[in-house]
Amino acid sequence: MTADTSPPAGPRPGFIARLKAAVTGDRDARFVHLNNFEVERAWGRGDPGLPGAGLSFNAPTVNRMEEVGVLLADEGDLVVLKAPVEPAFAAYLRPLGLAAGQVLTPDHDRPEQPVTTDALASPRLLAQLAGLADGRTYLMPLGVSADEERLAAATGLPLAGPDAATCKRVNGKIFSRALVDRSGLTPVPGAECRTVGELAAALKEHLAGGSGPVVVKESLGVSGRGLVVLDSARRGEQLVRMAARRGERIEVVVERWIDKEYDLNYQFVVARDGSVAFETVKAALTEGGVHRGHLFPPPLDPGHTAALEAAAQVLGKGLAQAGYYGVAGVDAMLGRDGTLYPCLEINARFNMATFQNRLAERLLTPGRCALATVFDLEPVRAHGFDEVRAALGDLLLDAGSARGVLVTNTATLRAGVTPGRRSKGRLYAVCLGDGPEDVDALRSKAARALEEMVERA
Amino acid sequence: MPGTQTDEIRTALHDGLTEVLRKDVPELHDDMRLFGDLALDSTGVIELLMELEDSLGLQIDPDELTPETFETVGALIGYIRACLEGAQDAVG
């Protein structure tokens, strides 16, 4: 069982209060949430990565993932969003206690730009934020880059986190691998590469003798982007040739392909004093190789859970020594042979799991189960929340019910729509139910209902 | 002949996408969107570039690539044609 699934009863403060205490020393501080998804783009600006991997194809949708931040803000907090929450969606969330903060928006929502860039270009919002400075109000970004530092300087609001240079350094996969090696945790066989020569040597070693494919990942790649799977020495040499055309510097890791039982994600909070508090562990649920979402609590045996909690302490200490404090999420993996790889990479920032912490405290009662998921849809026009509500019908979780589909973001369903043309849209949700089979069944029914909704249009 | 070259590139692109996407790819039209209509993703871009380098004898400069290059089938064919013409000019 994970920490965030505890019932709200008892003296333990909620996740946001615990986070405030850890990073500011004041659990009653006020946060201005700023959910700058894909902050890696800002961290990686100018860094040599993989050829073609820096291209962005769905920026408008990714930039609106930030709407999920309204579910995380506590009473008294504020949330900067690129655009207001649709009134019908806000009215749905409010009785669930999930739209507790006040939303602030910039003068203009420029779809290709992340929220921080919009905020920096908005004199009205900058003035509003500056007016909040009272010594105990903090900017709480998803991750701190130079852009968030500029916003802090422009508004006079301090950041609830370390500086951008520290955040960038500890978020690199090169840092994660080096920390795993130093800590004695089980690494995925592979190498860190800072030059094309090192990449060539690593690929030669790990692609030799038909030992299976390797994955090459940009140090600051994110969400399945900035990686390539290579299955032959010939492809390895080809990648090296392409990379060499850009110069000798590169920042990637090479890892052997591991057949996995499941992907795992756990999160913890590193406090300013260096103490580490474990929060949650979640397992990726797949069916027929297709990703269905993250399940929590996961079907792990207690030994694995204990191993991850121990790894969190080790990694958290390493992060603290590097000057980091705040939320950290770690991708881990249980191999099909039973080997637990406790750290594939550290994301020293908010993660999708972070945004589920507060809702889980309110809605996930002991003994029940949740599946955090996304529905990939192909709408030909923008669908409002009222349509989503009608499509889901009784499947939709409402205040007072303990089982159903909780919609957590609707902006991503509309952001990438070109009217009259089949477009890409995402609806984020958390299915709450009695167990893994129940939440997966809820997901399947909801997927059919939502697909019918877009087909009818 | 530009028409013949475009046909060759289109065929190579079709074969490359079939390999990268590991599924049947429909006949390619210039206005098809590589991401929206054909479901190419960012990870597939690198693999596709490798396939095209192999089949067309291209050398792609990664720093030249922009999202617009991959917007549609027509845009990518235009970019590849320019690469091939540039290589021919360089040779003489």
Side-chain angles (χ1 to χ4, degrees):
Chain A
M1 186 60 73
T2 58
D4 76 339
T5 57
S6 306
R12 193 179 191 227
F15 170 72
I16 288 295
R18 296 199 299 279
L19 179 61
K20 287 173 177 172
V23 298
T24 74
D26 176 5
R27 75 185 221 188
D28 295 320
R30 179 165 60 168
F31 274 173
V32 178
H33 297 265
L34 182 77
N35 296 302
N36 50 326
F37 275 84
E38 297 216 349
V39 60
E40 280 81 356
R41 277 192 177 281
W43 285 330
R45 225 176 267 151
D47 280 4
L50 289 171
L55 303 174
S56 172
F57 300 97
N58 53 358
T61 302
V62 170
N63 287 332
R64 288 311 326 269
M65 287 171 73
E66 41 110 54
E67 190 186 59
V68 76
V70 296
L71 286 84
L72 191 59
D74 251 348
E75 289 79 6
D77 285 349
L78 299 103
V79 191
V80 178
L81 293 183
K82 285 169 69 66
V85 180
E86 189 193 352
F89 185 44
Y92 163 70
L93 292 176
R94 223 168 276 124
L96 292 160
L98 298 178
Q102 182 192 342
V103 173
L104 301 177
T105 55
D107 293 320
H108 301 290
D109 168 15
R110 291 171 298 170
E112 296 289 335
Q113 300 295 336
V115 60
T116 309
T117 311
D118 279 353
L120 283 165
S122 175
R124 180 184 49 76
L125 178 57
L126 291 176
Q128 269 181 309
L129 293 174
L132 297 170
D134 60 359
R136 58 189 308 185
T137 300
Y138 297 80
L139 266 186
M140 182 71 256
L142 174 143
V144 177
S145 76
D147 294 338
E148 288 66 47
E149 286 185 332
R150 272 194 285 278
L151 188 62
T155 60
L157 291 175
L159 286 163
D163 62 77
T166 300
C167 290
K168 175 179 174 176
R169 187 169 69 253
V170 301
N171 274 280
K173 293 178 184 65
I174 286 181
F175 175 89
S176 299
R177 276 198 69 87
L179 180 54
V180 166
D181 284 342
R182 271 206 314 278
S183 308
L185 300 171
T186 306
V188 174
E192 303 112 67
C193 308
R194 294 178 180 83
T195 66
V196 174
E198 288 177 357
L199 173 64
L203 289 175
K204 194 171 176 188
E205 179 188 345
H206 292 285
L207 279 168
S211 54
V214 303
V215 191
V216 183
K217 300 175 181 172
E218 285 186 340
S219 188
L220 282 166
V222 62
S223 305
R225 208 182 49 230
L227 62 83
V228 62
V229 180
L230 304 172
D231 58 4
S232 69
R234 184 177 69 85
R235 278 282 186 244
E237 289 159 10
Q238 195 174 10
L239 181 70
V240 168
R241 282 199 304 275
M242 286 176 91
R245 282 176 216 147
R246 318 173 72 173
E248 181 60 11
R249 270 188 68 222
I250 196 164
E251 299 252 332
V252 296
V253 297
V254 171
E255 290 175 347
R256 291 256 180 102
W257 183 266
I258 304 286
D259 286 324
K260 65 196 171 198
E261 191 66 30
Y262 10 82
D263 285 316
L264 298 161
N265 174 274
Y266 57 100
Q267 51 176 334
F268 53 87
V269 173
V270 182
R272 288 192 82 133
D273 65 5
S275 60
V276 179
F278 193 82
E279 287 289 337
T280 62
V281 55
K282 301 177 182 184
L285 186 71
T286 55
E287 190 175 292
V290 178
H291 181 76
R292 306 294 293 265
H294 277 94
L295 190 68
F296 51 106
L300 277 179
D301 71 49
H304 287 143
T305 306
L308 295 180
E309 289 182 7
Q313 290 297 324
V314 170
L315 298 171
K317 296 279 182 293
L319 285 168
Q321 280 165 9
Y324 181 77
Y325 56 94
V327 174
V330 179
D331 291 337
M333 186 199 294
L334 183 63
R336 204 162 280 165
D337 64 359
T339 305
L340 181 67
Y341 299 94
C343 178
L344 306 185
E345 68 175 84
I346 301 169
N347 290 304
R349 53 165 173 75
F350 285 12
N351 305 262
M352 281 308 278
T354 312
F355 295 98
Q356 294 142 20
N357 287 346
R358 189 171 174 277
L359 70 90
E361 286 173 340
R362 275 159 179 71
L363 301 174
L364 185 60
T365 47
R368 296 173 74 81
C369 181
L371 178 69
T373 191
V374 57
F375 300 101
D376 287 306
L377 299 166
E378 297 193 334
V380 293
R381 64 169 174 78
H383 293 270
F385 180 73
D386 282 333
E387 281 183 275
V388 172
R389 176 193 283 277
L392 290 175
D394 292 344
L395 294 170
L396 188 73
L397 185 99
D398 261 323
S401 58
R403 179 179 179 275
V405 179
L406 170 73
V407 176
T408 55
N409 186 332
T410 63
T412 47
L413 180 58
R414 297 183 293 274
V417 170
T418 305
R421 190 153 191 185
R422 206 167 271 282
S423 307
K424 297 285 182 195
R426 300 180 197 161
L427 189 80
Y428 287 88
V430 177
C431 304
L432 294 145
D434 296 330
E437 292 78 20
D438 188 32
V439 292
D440 197 32
L442 274 171
R443 191 202 179 281
S444 297
K445 286 181 193 165
R448 276 197 299 277
L450 293 165
E451 280 157 15
E452 283 169 16
M453 176 187 79
V454 299
E455 285 306 319
R456 276 197 301 274
Chain B
M1 296 286 285
T4 309
Q5 191 184 45
T6 299
D7 289 345
E8 279 175 20
I9 296 170
R10 194 182 303 275
T11 303
L13 181 56
H14 185 275
D15 292 349
L17 284 167
T18 305
E19 184 70 26
V20 169
L21 300 173
R22 294 168 184 89
K23 66 175 187 185
D24 289 337
V25 172
E27 189 183 340
L28 297 181
H29 301 290
D30 280 356
D31 65 346
M32 278 180 171
R33 295 167 303 175
L34 288 159
F35 285 76
D37 296 327
L38 295 170
L40 183 69
D41 61 19
S42 306
T43 308
V45 167
I46 309 173
E47 283 186 69
L48 181 63
L49 293 175
M50 290 182 176
E51 290 288 338
L52 293 171
E53 284 201 343
D54 279 357
S55 57
L56 294 169
L58 275 178
Q59 276 219 356
I60 289 166
D61 179 352
D63 287 334
E64 283 181 357
L65 301 172
T66 64
E68 290 73 33
T69 312
F70 290 88
E71 182 71 31
T72 61
V73 166
L76 184 54
I77 288 175
Y79 169 77
I80 295 167
R81 205 169 51 216
C83 277
L84 289 170
E85 286 166 4
Q88 274 177 358
D89 290 348
V91 170

